Amino acid sequence: MAEPLARPVLNHIGGADLPAASGATMHLISPTTGMPHRTAPLSGRSDTDAACAHAAAAYERWSTTTPAERQRALLRIADAMEAHADDLTTAEVGDTGKPAELFRTEELPAITDTLRYFAGAARNLPGAAAGEYTEGRTSLLRREPIGVCAQITPWNYPLMMAAWKIAPALAAGNTTVLKPADTTPSSTALLARIAAEHLPPGVLNVVCGDRDTGRALIAHPAVRLIAVTGSVRAGREIATAAAADLKRVHLELGGNAPVIIHDDIDIETTAAQLAAVAYYNAGQDCTAPTRLLVHADIHDTFVDAFAAHAAALRPAFDFGPLNSAAQLASVEGLLSRLPGHAKIATGGSRQAGPGFYHQPTVVTHVRQSDEIVQEEIFGPVVTVQSFEDEAEALRHADDVRFGLAAGVWTTDHDRAMRATRALNTGIVWVNTHGTTVSEMPHGGVKHSGYGSDLSLSGLLDYTQVKHVML
């Protein structure tokens, strides 16, 4: 007998929780069971139009609030999220399948910290000093909000990415309409309901749906900035659509992070730390260390240690399932197309049992031109290549179209600093990997997009500058 479905997810538009105007819904599939567990609205143009209209109306008042007012609202939302931690965890875990304890301890504190950081940053916008740059006239700069923002978030970290988007937008005085990923809207819709107690109606709107819903949202004439975390395909489509109305675009896209491991490191410690990060969230992380470049002198020993740590990870405790049947098929497809020279050191198969679990997998003897090296995997698969010298390692590290994150492990300070300068990525970690802080920017180069989440840079991306001359 099928389990009863959980309470339906609803849109949040103009301060009210609403179904799609058409009544259309979509089933949300639990990645842990492969079965439907609740429904969400399949919103259409009438829903995105209503959300944008409410956001535009709310902007007239919200954009004139003081930074202190916006700070108080964000701080209260962060406090309310902590008070609703159990409900948010249930919502997130239901859609993603990630282990509840990992979400509660590793993600939720960082999410509320993001809101609190931008609450403070709202009161510290930088600006050039006023001055006389021509005789008899004084110039000054105003930094102002942009208007209505359309924001689209991915399915790997639904609540975290929602916080990364809405916090700087609201702190800067904008209003927003956010569309969560079609498979994981529950925690974002709940966040909107929680925030409604502390925001005027229309400041934060959430519209659930599919790709067509997103297309209708970004095409709305009230939208002046589009911020997206997603795939390169989505980024290209959105940038193209935005060009027709000259909307500003903020893109955080894919990654394929290299990690250079030199022969002076502690093999066991490094292998353990990187395995824990690589397979967290089943590898569904655009900064995950997916390409390990290991010095030839320690390659075989390191592979043995890393593979042992990968094999010891426990499904449903140390990592969750892939997000969907489609994502599982994508990972399986990459592995099925491995060239003959590649070898699987551990894993390689779907995990036995229900849901979309896949074994942590290590692939060795790959070449730089192989598909599994060049393309983003977004699953629990790590490749290992060997290198002979520093120049070769740096060359292979940068020889992909992505440029979000990279890492280097060495005890040689000078070598580490050379790598941080040479690696063409938005983030470089040295002897660590995956840690983010609200005060530092998160963004990439090349096909990983442009614009920054987090930090003062992220806040400034949601503002525009006006020159005033008196």
Side-chain angles (χ1 to χ4, degrees):
M1 182 176 178
E3 292 289 328
L5 298 184
R7 177 182 176 182
V9 177
L10 295 172
N11 292 329
H12 188 82
I13 300 175
D17 297 318
L18 301 168
S22 67
T25 61
M26 53 189 181
H27 276 105
L28 304 181
I29 307 301
S30 166
T32 60
T33 66
M35 301 297 293
H37 76 104
R38 69 193 312 181
T39 63
L42 181 55
S43 303
R45 186 172 297 278
S46 58
D47 302 295
T48 57
D49 285 352
C52 289
H54 279 286
Y59 177 75
E60 296 303 315
R61 169 71 182 90
W62 184 250
S63 62
T64 64
T65 55
T66 64
E69 290 178 85
R70 300 195 292 272
Q71 179 191 47
R72 284 193 293 271
L74 289 171
L75 291 175
R76 287 167 180 164
I77 293 169
D79 291 344
M81 290 177 71
E82 290 179 339
H84 289 84
D86 289 345
D87 294 334
L88 288 167
T89 299
T90 299
E92 180 96 356
V93 170
D95 285 356
T96 65
K98 60 183 63 175
E101 188 60 23
L102 286 180
F103 173 75
R104 181 184 284 275
T105 59
E106 298 295 326
E107 297 181 32
L108 196 52
I111 292 167
T112 53
D113 182 73
T114 297
L115 270 73
R116 292 182 174 122
Y117 167 77
F118 281 110
R123 301 182 70 164
N124 287 281
L125 278 174
E132 290 69 44
Y133 299 97
T134 189
E135 187 176 351
R137 295 288 183 266
T138 298
S139 288
L140 57 89
L141 295 179
R142 289 181 54 86
R143 190 169 286 278
E144 300 176 340
I146 295 170
V148 175
C149 301
Q151 300 178 311
I152 298 176
T153 51
W155 43 255
N156 58 334
Y157 295 105
L159 189 60
M160 183 179 292
M161 294 300 100
W164 284 20
K165 291 289 185 279
I166 69 171
L170 301 189
N174 303 285
T175 57
T176 187
V177 182
L178 189 149
K179 192 199 85 67
D182 56 351
T183 58
T184 57
S186 298
S187 57
T188 302
L190 178 55
L191 169 59
R193 288 170 53 199
I194 293 169
E197 298 293 323
H198 310 286
L199 293 173
V203 171
L204 170 60
N205 307 272
V206 171
V207 178
C208 305
D210 58 9
R211 289 180 182 177
D212 288 337
T213 310
R215 292 180 179 114
L217 172 59
I218 65 174
H220 196 282
V223 170
R224 297 316 310 155
L225 180 145
I226 305 168
V228 179
T229 297
S231 67
V232 174
R233 177 209 57 77
R236 284 195 184 108
E237 180 179 337
I238 288 164
T240 300
D245 196 26
L246 295 178
K247 293 177 168 71
R248 285 175 59 172
V249 180
H250 178 289
L251 300 176
E252 199 271 89
L253 307 178
N256 191 0
V259 177
I260 299 171
I261 302 166
H262 289 281
D263 59 356
D264 57 351
I265 51 91
D266 181 284
I267 292 176
E268 185 63 28
T269 300
T270 303
Q273 291 182 17
L274 284 173
V277 177
Y279 300 107
Y280 183 85
N281 204 31
Q284 298 168 122
D285 188 316
C286 50
T287 65
T290 54
R291 294 189 294 130
L292 305 186
L293 303 166
V294 184
H295 194 281
D297 288 350
I298 62 168
H299 175 272
D300 293 350
T301 305
F302 183 88
V303 168
D304 289 344
F306 186 82
H309 283 289
L313 295 171
R314 302 163 297 166
F317 292 94
D318 299 313
F319 67 95
L322 292 164
N323 176 255
S324 63
Q327 189 59 25
L328 175 60
S330 174
V331 172
E332 291 180 314
L334 276 170
L335 292 173
S336 72
R337 296 189 298 273
L338 282 176
H341 54 261
K343 307 296 180 185
I344 294 179
T346 190
S349 302
R350 179 176 183 166
Q351 199 87 37
F356 307 132
Y357 290 91
H358 193 283
Q359 296 171 339
T361 299
V362 179
V363 183
T364 64
H365 295 82
V366 292
R367 298 171 185 168
Q368 189 66 23
S369 59
D370 290 343
E371 177 190 22
I372 202 163
V373 172
Q374 288 295 317
E375 297 302 322
E376 183 178 37
I377 301 169
F378 226 63
V381 179
V382 173
T383 64
V384 186
Q385 298 167 262
S386 66
F387 67 87
E388 296 290 342
D389 57 40
E390 184 178 334
E392 181 186 15
L394 292 169
R395 186 169 62 252
H396 285 331
D398 268 345
D399 185 25
V400 295
R401 61 189 175 127
F402 301 99
L404 182 57
V408 58
W409 292 68
T410 181
T411 60
D412 185 325
H413 175 80
D414 290 341
R415 182 159 57 193
M417 293 308 295
R418 287 194 299 271
T420 64
R421 182 174 61 251
L423 290 164
N424 189 21
T425 58
I427 306 163
V428 179
W429 284 290
V430 178
N431 297 333
T432 187
H433 199 98
T435 302
T436 60
V437 292
S438 298
E439 293 84 357
M440 290 291 113
H442 185 283
V445 297
K446 301 192 290 187
H447 282 204
S448 292
Y450 43 81
S452 295
D453 288 314
L454 303 179
S455 79
L456 184 60
S457 297
L459 181 61
L460 296 182
D461 278 355
Y462 285 92
T463 66
Q464 57 192 6
V465 173
K466 179 186 290 180
H467 168 217
V468 178
M469 181 176 281
L470 300 92

